[in-house]
Amino acid sequence: MAEITRFIINKASNELQVELYNDESIQLSFEYLRVFSPAQNPKELVSHKKSVALVLIESVGKHGYRLTFDDDHNAIFGADDFISLASNFENNWKSY
């Protein structure tokens, strides 16, 4: 199981860098994280999130990290969620 060692928020590029224990680094845009949030109803199309901002990251124990966006949406992401989003980026983004 992958473990997160730290987050780096880049507000200039609107991206979150997730660094993992195995020295792997994942970089995902705030828009992508918001649109493909694990708390999002898969049947509900989310759009117009290009300018969404990530405002808070907080640990929720063994469950992962709660990401809160400036549109009041929040979701809990685990390391496996970030890895899956990175691995499936091209297919997800095409479907969006």
Side-chain angles (χ1 to χ4, degrees):
M1 182 174 175
E3 291 183 42
I4 297 169
T5 57
R6 74 177 179 155
F7 294 104
I8 300 171
I9 297 172
N10 185 335
K11 290 185 179 183
S13 65
N14 290 330
E15 292 180 324
L16 176 66
Q17 183 173 331
V18 181
E19 294 191 356
L20 303 172
Y21 185 71
N22 63 358
D23 293 328
E24 184 178 352
S25 181
I26 297 169
Q27 203 159 319
L28 301 168
S29 72
F30 299 161
E31 177 184 17
Y32 181 66
L33 289 167
R34 172 60 183 90
V35 170
F36 291 96
S37 159
Q40 193 62 50
N41 179 345
K43 294 180 182 179
E44 179 183 343
L45 176 63
V46 177
S47 59
H48 305 293
K49 298 299 177 184
K50 187 172 181 128
S51 62
V52 72
L54 179 62
V55 295
L56 181 65
I57 300 174
E58 55 189 333
S59 176
V60 286
K62 295 179 182 179
H63 302 291
Y65 296 86
R66 178 178 291 115
L67 274 58
T68 302
F69 298 89
D70 66 353
D71 66 352
D72 292 327
H73 177 79
N74 69 77
I76 297 172
F77 290 76
D80 292 340
D81 294 314
F82 291 114
I83 292 167
S84 176
L85 286 171
S87 298
N88 296 306
F89 175 80
E90 288 203 28
N91 287 335
N92 288 343
W93 205 243
K94 283 179 187 177
S95 72
Y96 176 57

